[in-house]
Amino acid sequence: MTRGVYSRSKECESCGVVFVSRGSTARYCSAECRFTGLTADVAPDSRGCLLWPHSRNPKSGYGQMTLWDGNKRRLATTHRMSFSIAFGNIPTGLEVCHRCDVPACFNPKHLFPGTQQDNMRDCVAKGRAGDYPARIRKGWRQRRLAMSSADSLK
């Protein structure tokens, strides 16, 4: 007797499309439908932020959800999922930045694509960087002085 993979037809709870499920617990036909289904009841807070109500990264505070790619599991941040659902693929080399500065927010109106440099400029402009420019300059001076050319020849 051979054991097969459990599969059966189910209806997606988000969009209603019939799909073949490889497991007994699958409720959605795609990652987009899962995201939509998990966020259907989220209401905006006083700032207009839609806060991710499920798992968050304990260090950064960003919302996260598990995605399956074949048999591989990976974590995706919810603000990036929200941006890609609303606006399409994230351009190569760019990040998804928050206008609202709330890591758990996934409201696409609060998100914009930008480089790491754009994100840091935004951070400094809003006063969230502390002494960021000074720390960078100080660190550069210290690295330059850490080793002289005579030391490097030894």
Side-chain angles (χ1 to χ4, degrees), residues 70-107:
N71 291 329
K72 289 186 176 182
R73 182 180 75 166
R74 70 178 181 92
L75 286 177
T77 53
T78 54
H79 69 289
R80 290 177 64 87
M81 283 285 298
S82 176
F83 184 88
S84 63
I85 290 169
F87 305 111
N89 290 336
I90 300 166
T92 304
L94 296 183
E95 299 179 355
V96 177
C97 309
H98 287 87
R99 286 188 176 93
C100 60
D101 301 326
V102 179
C105 178
F106 63 91
N107 186 344

Side-chain angles (χ1 to χ4, degrees), residues 28-145:
Y28 304 103
C29 66
S30 66
E32 291 82 8
C33 282
R34 182 164 181 253
F35 180 84
T36 304
L38 292 173
T39 59
D41 298 332
V42 177
D45 68 1
S46 60
R47 297 172 299 216
C49 292
L50 298 172
L51 301 178
W52 183 249
H54 304 288
S55 173
R56 293 186 191 173
N57 181 305
K59 290 184 180 178
S60 67
Y62 287 103
Q64 60 188 15
M65 63 185 284
T66 304
L67 299 179
W68 291 92
D69 184 18
N71 291 329
K72 289 186 176 182
R73 182 180 75 166
R74 70 178 181 92
L75 286 177
T77 53
T78 54
H79 69 289
R80 290 177 64 87
M81 283 285 298
S82 176
F83 184 88
S84 63
I85 290 169
F87 305 111
N89 290 336
I90 300 166
T92 304
L94 296 183
E95 299 179 355
V96 177
C97 309
H98 287 87
R99 286 188 176 93
C100 60
D101 301 326
V102 179
C105 178
F106 63 91
N107 186 344
K109 294 177 185 172
H110 293 190
L111 305 173
F112 66 96
T115 63
Q116 174 65 27
Q117 188 176 20
D118 294 336
N119 204 17
M120 290 311 297
R121 280 187 189 133
D122 183 52
C123 177
V124 170
K126 292 177 181 175
R128 294 182 293 109
D131 63 344
Y132 168 73
R135 283 197 320 261
I136 295 299
R137 286 193 301 273
K138 180 180 175 187
W140 172 247
R141 270 198 323 270
Q142 288 175 344
R143 280 194 298 272
R144 272 195 346 230
L145 298 175

